[in-house]
Amino acid sequence: MTAIATSTGVPVQARPRRAWAGALIGVALLVLSVASLFIGVSDVSPLALVTGGPDGRAAFLLIVSRIPRTLALLLVGATLAIAGLIMQMLVRNRFVEPGTTGVSEFATLGMLVTMVLWPGMALLGKMGVAAGFALLGTWVFLRIIRAVPVRQLVLVPLVGIMLGGVVAAVTTFFAYRLDLLQSLGQWAQGSFAGVMQGRYEFLWVAGLMGVIAWIAADRFSVIGLGEEFATNLGLDYRRVVAIGMVIIAVTTAAVLVTAGMIPFLGLVVPNIVSLIIGDNVRRSIPWVAGLGAVFVVACDILARVLRFPYEIPLSVIVGIVGAALFLWLLLRKGSRAH
Amino acid sequence: MSATRSIAALGLVAASALALSACASTSAEGDAAAEAPAAESETISYTWDRNTVTEEGADPVYEETTVEVPVDPQKIVVFDMAVLDTIGALGGEVAGAPLESVPDYLEDHLADDAFNAGTLFEADLIEIEAQQPDLIVVGGRSAALWEDLNEIAPTIDLSMRDGFLATLEANTAFLGEVLGAEDEAAAALEELTAGIDEAKAAVTEAGGSGLGIMVSGGELSALAPSKGDGDTRGARGGLIYDVFGVDPVVEDVEAATHGEPISFEFLLEHDPEWLWVVDRDAAVATEGAQAAEVVLDNEIVNQTTAAEEDHILYLDPTAWYIVFGGIDTTQRMIDDVLQIAGR
């Protein structure tokens, strides 16, 4: 957590370390994305593509299965990480993300509500309801945080995790009574095994939210300095917060409906980026998006390879790697967390 | 759904009526017992290796357990749908069960005033105690309830052991003995064995490899042949291979409870001749879930041999996923497999 970066817009002389890290993320993104295209149960190799393979199947699978899956991974990684970054700016706390503030749990509750009340609803409608609940969740969390007098670094996510626990308990109770527990679990478990053309397109909505975040990036930087400061600068604080809440809620819901819950991502990635280049949102958003994408693609490749030809749910891998990184961030020397 | 509700309501009314008339009936029963003490004491021993570890996923520790089962019990409470099926098929009647879980085609086997005994995983001990059953049967999902239930009434565990067919035979024969319907049990078993042989022959004649998959929440998992180590948790998926002789396209699917997660590409790559589909969402009646037909109707699956040849066969999800093991249910499974003959 370096000091807040200069937000003057004047190009800071690129220190070699940073340029190097940026190039590394870029190269990793490229290499992993290409690898992701060619790893899978069927034989889709560059060679098979050139020679046509059996009945041109390689090209077919590349278009119908591999490219969608890789795109979905990139979108999820980038947008969830951005949602985490925005959330951290709104709350002015480094240890929040949709998963530690109850937002994911509210979205899951929304899913359960659609399952019970409007079972026949189209996926877009389900996503809408989930997003609505996620929005409510963000709002509830922000209200509670305002009411908490002590704003210690770890206390805020703790409150969020407790809020999430309460909501998850409500969800579990009703899912249990209605015999939907396993179905809900199946849905909420993050996995990209079923992703193919026609089954991931909602993630573009999340992608759109990422773009909006990018456009409004400077505002979020200012929001991160606090309400008074932002208002003094002539910023409509409430409106920017509202935009941020919508970005977070819609991203969470879109990812939940298509792929399930992916823990820790929104927390770990912005923190690592902040360590490297600081807290200027405009400058860090591409880094956050890139590193988030790298993280998810790498984890999904592991998920596909470790038990080949079967798959491990992505959320399991992300959970293990993410938790380790989270602990490292918490216990790191000089961290303000303790 | 509404039918189950009304039965549940009926059960509730009946239960309260029973509670009210309890005093009156005890004296009558007392007289009967005094007149026929021999009939009261007639029992059959049932012995099995009981798993004393109830934690999910823990290694089992077995303890030989013997329970004296009363012959011709009047009030039977059943937590295992396969047992409910068999008791009904042998002409018996069940006084209490997890009513929410009883599939439509087994509702006839419940007594008119059947009461709700809880869920497949959790017993309503107070209600069962109040009903004073003569015999309680647990199995599979409810095996962990044995200890509590056995304090109320003689409780036996008819979980699947030693494979599907052995269990079907043992349980049917035993229940026939308990219900005084040995001949019916023998006849039913003979018919089922013949049916399974016929289905097996049809599978052999159709030829080609097969793969069992389960569809749930839009995701697929491969079902595993049993490894023959007596682990029955994966058995329901493996029945298609183990009992009906389908030649698995992949040998090494681990026998996980819900199969192994797979991608659509997996289907195309291994390209089984026949695809046997269990729609889990339909089995547990998840409302609004995508039907397996919809999930499987996509560009990748449509390229598989099974899809091109119209070889995707849908199995009765209730029979294969929830019940599996009773007399009527086995007949349904046989009919399911015989679909292959028409393709």
Side-chain angles (χ1 to χ4, degrees), chain A residues 301-330:
Chain A
I301 289 177
L302 275 182
R304 270 181 275 177
V305 170
L306 283 180
R307 279 179 60 72
F308 190 84
Y310 311 108
E311 304 208 3
I312 300 173
L314 176 73
S315 55
V316 173
I317 309 246
V318 176
I320 294 169
V321 179
L325 284 172
F326 183 36
L327 275 178
W328 173 72
L329 284 169
L330 269 178

PDB file of all heavy atoms in Angstrom, chain A residues 301-330:
ATOM      1  N   ILE A 301      -7.188 -22.796 -16.292  1.00  0.00           N
ATOM      2  CA  ILE A 301      -6.328 -23.776 -16.962  1.00  0.00           C
ATOM      3  C   ILE A 301      -5.966 -24.882 -15.973  1.00  0.00           C
ATOM      4  O   ILE A 301      -6.051 -26.070 -16.279  1.00  0.00           O
ATOM      5  CB  ILE A 301      -5.061 -23.090 -17.532  1.00  0.00           C
ATOM      6  CG1 ILE A 301      -5.468 -22.227 -18.730  1.00  0.00           C
ATOM      7  CG2 ILE A 301      -4.023 -24.130 -17.944  1.00  0.00           C
ATOM      8  CD1 ILE A 301      -4.333 -21.443 -19.337  1.00  0.00           C
ATOM      9  N   LEU A 302      -5.641 -24.487 -14.746  1.00  0.00           N
ATOM     10  CA  LEU A 302      -5.382 -25.488 -13.697  1.00  0.00           C
ATOM     11  C   LEU A 302      -6.597 -26.382 -13.498  1.00  0.00           C
ATOM     12  O   LEU A 302      -6.479 -27.602 -13.404  1.00  0.00           O
ATOM     13  CB  LEU A 302      -5.049 -24.787 -12.375  1.00  0.00           C
ATOM     14  CG  LEU A 302      -3.604 -24.361 -12.151  1.00  0.00           C
ATOM     15  CD1 LEU A 302      -3.483 -23.724 -10.770  1.00  0.00           C
ATOM     16  CD2 LEU A 302      -2.682 -25.572 -12.241  1.00  0.00           C
ATOM     17  N   ALA A 303      -7.782 -25.755 -13.437  1.00  0.00           N
ATOM     18  CA  ALA A 303      -9.015 -26.510 -13.202  1.00  0.00           C
ATOM     19  C   ALA A 303      -9.234 -27.546 -14.290  1.00  0.00           C
ATOM     20  O   ALA A 303      -9.753 -28.626 -14.049  1.00  0.00           O
ATOM     21  CB  ALA A 303     -10.216 -25.561 -13.127  1.00  0.00           C
ATOM     22  N   ARG A 304      -8.802 -27.217 -15.515  1.00  0.00           N
ATOM     23  CA  ARG A 304      -9.015 -28.137 -16.625  1.00  0.00           C
ATOM     24  C   ARG A 304      -7.949 -29.228 -16.664  1.00  0.00           C
ATOM     25  O   ARG A 304      -8.205 -30.330 -17.122  1.00  0.00           O
ATOM     26  CB  ARG A 304      -8.975 -27.366 -17.948  1.00  0.00           C
ATOM     27  CG  ARG A 304     -10.330 -26.855 -18.358  1.00  0.00           C
ATOM     28  CD  ARG A 304     -10.240 -26.134 -19.681  1.00  0.00           C
ATOM     29  NE  ARG A 304      -9.859 -24.745 -19.507  1.00  0.00           N
ATOM     30  CZ  ARG A 304      -9.654 -23.920 -20.529  1.00  0.00           C
ATOM     31  NH1 ARG A 304      -9.761 -24.356 -21.760  1.00  0.00           N
ATOM     32  NH2 ARG A 304      -9.331 -22.663 -20.313  1.00  0.00           N
ATOM     33  N   VAL A 305      -6.756 -28.894 -16.205  1.00  0.00           N
ATOM     34  CA  VAL A 305      -5.621 -29.795 -16.406  1.00  0.00           C
ATOM     35  C   VAL A 305      -5.434 -30.775 -15.253  1.00  0.00           C
ATOM     36  O   VAL A 305      -5.105 -31.934 -15.457  1.00  0.00           O
ATOM     37  CB  VAL A 305      -4.332 -28.968 -16.611  1.00  0.00           C
ATOM     38  CG1 VAL A 305      -3.111 -29.860 -16.566  1.00  0.00           C
ATOM     39  CG2 VAL A 305      -4.402 -28.235 -17.940  1.00  0.00           C
ATOM     40  N   LEU A 306      -5.699 -30.311 -14.024  1.00  0.00           N
ATOM     41  CA  LEU A 306      -5.334 -31.101 -12.844  1.00  0.00           C
ATOM     42  C   LEU A 306      -5.964 -32.484 -12.827  1.00  0.00           C
ATOM     43  O   LEU A 306      -5.347 -33.436 -12.369  1.00  0.00           O
ATOM     44  CB  LEU A 306      -5.699 -30.338 -11.562  1.00  0.00           C
ATOM     45  CG  LEU A 306      -4.734 -29.212 -11.194  1.00  0.00           C
ATOM     46  CD1 LEU A 306      -5.184 -28.518  -9.922  1.00  0.00           C
ATOM     47  CD2 LEU A 306      -3.317 -29.746 -11.017  1.00  0.00           C
ATOM     48  N   ARG A 307      -7.216 -32.583 -13.293  1.00  0.00           N
ATOM     49  CA  ARG A 307      -7.869 -33.898 -13.275  1.00  0.00           C
ATOM     50  C   ARG A 307      -8.345 -34.292 -14.668  1.00  0.00           C
ATOM     51  O   ARG A 307      -9.393 -34.898 -14.838  1.00  0.00           O
ATOM     52  CB  ARG A 307      -9.042 -33.886 -12.299  1.00  0.00           C
ATOM     53  CG  ARG A 307      -8.600 -34.080 -10.864  1.00  0.00           C
ATOM     54  CD  ARG A 307      -9.754 -34.043  -9.912  1.00  0.00           C
ATOM     55  NE  ARG A 307     -10.749 -35.064 -10.177  1.00  0.00           N
ATOM     56  CZ  ARG A 307     -10.563 -36.351  -9.938  1.00  0.00           C
ATOM     57  NH1 ARG A 307      -9.443 -36.779  -9.459  1.00  0.00           N
ATOM     58  NH2 ARG A 307     -11.525 -37.209 -10.194  1.00  0.00           N
ATOM     59  N   PHE A 308      -7.590 -33.923 -15.633  1.00  0.00           N
ATOM     60  CA  PHE A 308      -7.927 -34.180 -17.008  1.00  0.00           C
ATOM     61  C   PHE A 308      -8.390 -35.623 -17.204  1.00  0.00           C
ATOM     62  O   PHE A 308      -7.773 -36.523 -16.656  1.00  0.00           O
ATOM     63  CB  PHE A 308      -6.678 -33.899 -17.861  1.00  0.00           C
ATOM     64  CG  PHE A 308      -6.941 -33.889 -19.321  1.00  0.00           C
ATOM     65  CD1 PHE A 308      -7.423 -32.741 -19.928  1.00  0.00           C
ATOM     66  CD2 PHE A 308      -6.737 -35.017 -20.099  1.00  0.00           C
ATOM     67  CE1 PHE A 308      -7.682 -32.722 -21.285  1.00  0.00           C
ATOM     68  CE2 PHE A 308      -7.010 -34.994 -21.458  1.00  0.00           C
ATOM     69  CZ  PHE A 308      -7.479 -33.854 -22.046  1.00  0.00           C
ATOM     70  N   PRO A 309      -9.424 -35.896 -17.975  1.00  0.00           N
ATOM     71  CA  PRO A 309     -10.258 -34.985 -18.750  1.00  0.00           C
ATOM     72  C   PRO A 309     -11.450 -34.407 -17.984  1.00  0.00           C
ATOM     73  O   PRO A 309     -12.315 -33.802 -18.589  1.00  0.00           O
ATOM     74  CB  PRO A 309     -10.752 -35.886 -19.876  1.00  0.00           C
ATOM     75  CG  PRO A 309     -10.893 -37.219 -19.227  1.00  0.00           C
ATOM     76  CD  PRO A 309      -9.807 -37.295 -18.203  1.00  0.00           C
ATOM     77  N   TYR A 310     -11.510 -34.628 -16.670  1.00  0.00           N
ATOM     78  CA  TYR A 310     -12.604 -34.041 -15.905  1.00  0.00           C
ATOM     79  C   TYR A 310     -12.179 -32.666 -15.437  1.00  0.00           C
ATOM     80  O   TYR A 310     -11.045 -32.266 -15.629  1.00  0.00           O
ATOM     81  CB  TYR A 310     -12.977 -34.935 -14.728  1.00  0.00           C
ATOM     82  CG  TYR A 310     -13.158 -36.344 -15.172  1.00  0.00           C
ATOM     83  CD1 TYR A 310     -12.240 -37.325 -14.851  1.00  0.00           C
ATOM     84  CD2 TYR A 310     -14.226 -36.668 -15.996  1.00  0.00           C
ATOM     85  CE1 TYR A 310     -12.385 -38.605 -15.330  1.00  0.00           C
ATOM     86  CE2 TYR A 310     -14.378 -37.941 -16.476  1.00  0.00           C
ATOM     87  CZ  TYR A 310     -13.458 -38.911 -16.143  1.00  0.00           C
ATOM     88  OH  TYR A 310     -13.608 -40.168 -16.624  1.00  0.00           O
ATOM     89  N   GLU A 311     -13.079 -31.971 -14.790  1.00  0.00           N
ATOM     90  CA  GLU A 311     -12.730 -30.622 -14.383  1.00  0.00           C
ATOM     91  C   GLU A 311     -12.941 -30.450 -12.884  1.00  0.00           C
ATOM     92  O   GLU A 311     -13.758 -31.110 -12.281  1.00  0.00           O
ATOM     93  CB  GLU A 311     -13.612 -29.610 -15.128  1.00  0.00           C
ATOM     94  CG  GLU A 311     -13.506 -29.786 -16.619  1.00  0.00           C
ATOM     95  CD  GLU A 311     -13.770 -28.501 -17.368  1.00  0.00           C
ATOM     96  OE1 GLU A 311     -13.981 -27.473 -16.717  1.00  0.00           O
ATOM     97  OE2 GLU A 311     -13.755 -28.551 -18.604  1.00  0.00           O
ATOM     98  N   ILE A 312     -12.199 -29.541 -12.329  1.00  0.00           N
ATOM     99  CA  ILE A 312     -12.412 -29.142 -10.944  1.00  0.00           C
ATOM    100  C   ILE A 312     -13.147 -27.809 -11.030  1.00  0.00           C
ATOM    101  O   ILE A 312     -12.795 -26.983 -11.859  1.00  0.00           O
ATOM    102  CB  ILE A 312     -11.072 -28.956 -10.218  1.00  0.00           C
ATOM    103  CG1 ILE A 312     -10.279 -30.258 -10.237  1.00  0.00           C
ATOM    104  CG2 ILE A 312     -11.280 -28.469  -8.795  1.00  0.00           C
ATOM    105  CD1 ILE A 312      -8.885 -30.117  -9.698  1.00  0.00           C
ATOM    106  N   PRO A 313     -14.162 -27.599 -10.199  1.00  0.00           N
ATOM    107  CA  PRO A 313     -14.827 -26.296 -10.266  1.00  0.00           C
ATOM    108  C   PRO A 313     -13.807 -25.167 -10.078  1.00  0.00           C
ATOM    109  O   PRO A 313     -12.974 -25.220  -9.177  1.00  0.00           O
ATOM    110  CB  PRO A 313     -15.821 -26.351  -9.120  1.00  0.00           C
ATOM    111  CG  PRO A 313     -16.093 -27.797  -8.920  1.00  0.00           C
ATOM    112  CD  PRO A 313     -14.803 -28.498  -9.262  1.00  0.00           C
ATOM    113  N   LEU A 314     -13.905 -24.164 -10.924  1.00  0.00           N
ATOM    114  CA  LEU A 314     -12.951 -23.054 -10.881  1.00  0.00           C
ATOM    115  C   LEU A 314     -12.909 -22.399  -9.503  1.00  0.00           C
ATOM    116  O   LEU A 314     -11.853 -22.004  -9.017  1.00  0.00           O
ATOM    117  CB  LEU A 314     -13.339 -22.018 -11.943  1.00  0.00           C
ATOM    118  CG  LEU A 314     -12.499 -20.758 -11.956  1.00  0.00           C
ATOM    119  CD1 LEU A 314     -11.123 -21.046 -12.514  1.00  0.00           C
ATOM    120  CD2 LEU A 314     -13.161 -19.661 -12.752  1.00  0.00           C
ATOM    121  N   SER A 315     -14.101 -22.302  -8.867  1.00  0.00           N
ATOM    122  CA  SER A 315     -14.165 -21.591  -7.585  1.00  0.00           C
ATOM    123  C   SER A 315     -13.271 -22.252  -6.535  1.00  0.00           C
ATOM    124  O   SER A 315     -12.762 -21.580  -5.640  1.00  0.00           O
ATOM    125  CB  SER A 315     -15.611 -21.522  -7.092  1.00  0.00           C
ATOM    126  OG  SER A 315     -16.165 -22.806  -7.029  1.00  0.00           O
ATOM    127  N   VAL A 316     -13.079 -23.558  -6.654  1.00  0.00           N
ATOM    128  CA  VAL A 316     -12.234 -24.266  -5.689  1.00  0.00           C
ATOM    129  C   VAL A 316     -10.787 -23.779  -5.821  1.00  0.00           C
ATOM    130  O   VAL A 316     -10.133 -23.444  -4.833  1.00  0.00           O
ATOM    131  CB  VAL A 316     -12.306 -25.790  -5.926  1.00  0.00           C
ATOM    132  CG1 VAL A 316     -11.314 -26.511  -5.041  1.00  0.00           C
ATOM    133  CG2 VAL A 316     -13.708 -26.288  -5.672  1.00  0.00           C
ATOM    134  N   ILE A 317     -10.312 -23.731  -7.070  1.00  0.00           N
ATOM    135  CA  ILE A 317      -8.919 -23.306  -7.311  1.00  0.00           C
ATOM    136  C   ILE A 317      -8.736 -21.841  -6.921  1.00  0.00           C
ATOM    137  O   ILE A 317      -7.794 -21.479  -6.209  1.00  0.00           O
ATOM    138  CB  ILE A 317      -8.572 -23.491  -8.797  1.00  0.00           C
ATOM    139  CG1 ILE A 317      -8.936 -24.895  -9.240  1.00  0.00           C
ATOM    140  CG2 ILE A 317      -7.115 -23.111  -9.042  1.00  0.00           C
ATOM    141  CD1 ILE A 317      -7.814 -25.761  -9.610  1.00  0.00           C
ATOM    142  N   VAL A 318      -9.659 -20.994  -7.398  1.00  0.00           N
ATOM    143  CA  VAL A 318      -9.543 -19.572  -7.079  1.00  0.00           C
ATOM    144  C   VAL A 318      -9.586 -19.385  -5.569  1.00  0.00           C
ATOM    145  O   VAL A 318      -8.860 -18.559  -5.009  1.00  0.00           O
ATOM    146  CB  VAL A 318     -10.669 -18.760  -7.755  1.00  0.00           C
ATOM    147  CG1 VAL A 318     -10.598 -17.306  -7.346  1.00  0.00           C
ATOM    148  CG2 VAL A 318     -10.563 -18.864  -9.264  1.00  0.00           C
ATOM    149  N   GLY A 319     -10.432 -20.168  -4.907  1.00  0.00           N
ATOM    150  CA  GLY A 319     -10.558 -20.055  -3.460  1.00  0.00           C
ATOM    151  C   GLY A 319      -9.236 -20.358  -2.760  1.00  0.00           C
ATOM    152  O   GLY A 319      -8.811 -19.622  -1.868  1.00  0.00           O
ATOM    153  N   ILE A 320      -8.577 -21.417  -3.190  1.00  0.00           N
ATOM    154  CA  ILE A 320      -7.319 -21.804  -2.541  1.00  0.00           C
ATOM    155  C   ILE A 320      -6.235 -20.758  -2.808  1.00  0.00           C
ATOM    156  O   ILE A 320      -5.615 -20.225  -1.874  1.00  0.00           O
ATOM    157  CB  ILE A 320      -6.858 -23.194  -3.049  1.00  0.00           C
ATOM    158  CG1 ILE A 320      -7.846 -24.266  -2.589  1.00  0.00           C
ATOM    159  CG2 ILE A 320      -5.458 -23.501  -2.541  1.00  0.00           C
ATOM    160  CD1 ILE A 320      -7.641 -25.603  -3.248  1.00  0.00           C
ATOM    161  N   VAL A 321      -6.029 -20.430  -4.088  1.00  0.00           N
ATOM    162  CA  VAL A 321      -4.984 -19.469  -4.432  1.00  0.00           C
ATOM    163  C   VAL A 321      -5.309 -18.102  -3.835  1.00  0.00           C
ATOM    164  O   VAL A 321      -4.457 -17.438  -3.238  1.00  0.00           O
ATOM    165  CB  VAL A 321      -4.838 -19.367  -5.970  1.00  0.00           C
ATOM    166  CG1 VAL A 321      -3.762 -18.358  -6.333  1.00  0.00           C
ATOM    167  CG2 VAL A 321      -4.520 -20.722  -6.562  1.00  0.00           C
ATOM    168  N   GLY A 322      -6.569 -17.694  -3.968  1.00  0.00           N
ATOM    169  CA  GLY A 322      -6.981 -16.378  -3.480  1.00  0.00           C
ATOM    170  C   GLY A 322      -6.830 -16.254  -1.979  1.00  0.00           C
ATOM    171  O   GLY A 322      -6.370 -15.237  -1.461  1.00  0.00           O
ATOM    172  N   ALA A 323      -7.211 -17.313  -1.256  1.00  0.00           N
ATOM    173  CA  ALA A 323      -7.109 -17.262   0.201  1.00  0.00           C
ATOM    174  C   ALA A 323      -5.654 -17.120   0.629  1.00  0.00           C
ATOM    175  O   ALA A 323      -5.331 -16.356   1.545  1.00  0.00           O
ATOM    176  CB  ALA A 323      -7.721 -18.525   0.809  1.00  0.00           C
ATOM    177  N   ALA A 324      -4.761 -17.838  -0.068  1.00  0.00           N
ATOM    178  CA  ALA A 324      -3.345 -17.743   0.256  1.00  0.00           C
ATOM    179  C   ALA A 324      -2.846 -16.310   0.024  1.00  0.00           C
ATOM    180  O   ALA A 324      -2.163 -15.726   0.875  1.00  0.00           O
ATOM    181  CB  ALA A 324      -2.549 -18.730  -0.590  1.00  0.00           C
ATOM    182  N   LEU A 325      -3.210 -15.740  -1.105  1.00  0.00           N
ATOM    183  CA  LEU A 325      -2.793 -14.365  -1.404  1.00  0.00           C
ATOM    184  C   LEU A 325      -3.378 -13.373  -0.390  1.00  0.00           C
ATOM    185  O   LEU A 325      -2.717 -12.429   0.038  1.00  0.00           O
ATOM    186  CB  LEU A 325      -3.236 -13.978  -2.819  1.00  0.00           C
ATOM    187  CG  LEU A 325      -2.412 -14.573  -3.962  1.00  0.00           C
ATOM    188  CD1 LEU A 325      -3.065 -14.278  -5.298  1.00  0.00           C
ATOM    189  CD2 LEU A 325      -1.005 -13.988  -3.935  1.00  0.00           C
ATOM    190  N   PHE A 326      -4.630 -13.616  -0.022  1.00  0.00           N
ATOM    191  CA  PHE A 326      -5.298 -12.742   0.941  1.00  0.00           C
ATOM    192  C   PHE A 326      -4.551 -12.751   2.270  1.00  0.00           C
ATOM    193  O   PHE A 326      -4.266 -11.712   2.875  1.00  0.00           O
ATOM    194  CB  PHE A 326      -6.744 -13.217   1.125  1.00  0.00           C
ATOM    195  CG  PHE A 326      -7.557 -12.354   2.051  1.00  0.00           C
ATOM    196  CD1 PHE A 326      -7.371 -10.985   2.088  1.00  0.00           C
ATOM    197  CD2 PHE A 326      -8.521 -12.922   2.867  1.00  0.00           C
ATOM    198  CE1 PHE A 326      -8.132 -10.188   2.940  1.00  0.00           C
ATOM    199  CE2 PHE A 326      -9.279 -12.136   3.713  1.00  0.00           C
ATOM    200  CZ  PHE A 326      -9.079 -10.774   3.749  1.00  0.00           C
ATOM    201  N   LEU A 327      -4.191 -13.946   2.720  1.00  0.00           N
ATOM    202  CA  LEU A 327      -3.434 -14.066   3.968  1.00  0.00           C
ATOM    203  C   LEU A 327      -2.108 -13.322   3.859  1.00  0.00           C
ATOM    204  O   LEU A 327      -1.695 -12.616   4.773  1.00  0.00           O
ATOM    205  CB  LEU A 327      -3.178 -15.547   4.281  1.00  0.00           C
ATOM    206  CG  LEU A 327      -4.304 -16.251   5.022  1.00  0.00           C
ATOM    207  CD1 LEU A 327      -3.958 -17.717   5.227  1.00  0.00           C
ATOM    208  CD2 LEU A 327      -4.552 -15.576   6.374  1.00  0.00           C
ATOM    209  N   TRP A 328      -1.471 -13.481   2.704  1.00  0.00           N
ATOM    210  CA  TRP A 328      -0.181 -12.820   2.511  1.00  0.00           C
ATOM    211  C   TRP A 328      -0.356 -11.307   2.604  1.00  0.00           C
ATOM    212  O   TRP A 328       0.424 -10.610   3.265  1.00  0.00           O
ATOM    213  CB  TRP A 328       0.398 -13.224   1.151  1.00  0.00           C
ATOM    214  CG  TRP A 328       1.632 -12.465   0.783  1.00  0.00           C
ATOM    215  CD1 TRP A 328       2.869 -12.614   1.334  1.00  0.00           C
ATOM    216  CD2 TRP A 328       1.743 -11.420  -0.180  1.00  0.00           C
ATOM    217  NE1 TRP A 328       3.748 -11.730   0.763  1.00  0.00           N
ATOM    218  CE2 TRP A 328       3.091 -10.984  -0.177  1.00  0.00           C
ATOM    219  CE3 TRP A 328       0.842 -10.823  -1.066  1.00  0.00           C
ATOM    220  CZ2 TRP A 328       3.550  -9.971  -1.007  1.00  0.00           C
ATOM    221  CZ3 TRP A 328       1.299  -9.820  -1.902  1.00  0.00           C
ATOM    222  CH2 TRP A 328       2.640  -9.399  -1.866  1.00  0.00           C
ATOM    223  N   LEU A 329      -1.417 -10.805   1.997  1.00  0.00           N
ATOM    224  CA  LEU A 329      -1.669  -9.361   2.043  1.00  0.00           C
ATOM    225  C   LEU A 329      -1.886  -8.892   3.484  1.00  0.00           C
ATOM    226  O   LEU A 329      -1.442  -7.835   3.898  1.00  0.00           O
ATOM    227  CB  LEU A 329      -2.900  -9.005   1.204  1.00  0.00           C
ATOM    228  CG  LEU A 329      -2.699  -9.002  -0.311  1.00  0.00           C
ATOM    229  CD1 LEU A 329      -4.038  -8.913  -1.020  1.00  0.00           C
ATOM    230  CD2 LEU A 329      -1.807  -7.849  -0.726  1.00  0.00           C
ATOM    231  N   LEU A 330      -2.623  -9.712   4.224  1.00  0.00           N
ATOM    232  CA  LEU A 330      -2.943  -9.350   5.607  1.00  0.00           C
ATOM    233  C   LEU A 330      -1.703  -9.353   6.488  1.00  0.00           C
ATOM    234  O   LEU A 330      -1.501  -8.469   7.315  1.00  0.00           O
ATOM    235  CB  LEU A 330      -3.954 -10.350   6.182  1.00  0.00           C
ATOM    236  CG  LEU A 330      -5.426 -10.036   6.029  1.00  0.00           C
ATOM    237  CD1 LEU A 330      -6.240 -11.176   6.614  1.00  0.00           C
ATOM    238  CD2 LEU A 330      -5.786  -8.739   6.720  1.00  0.00           C
TER     239      LEU A 330
END
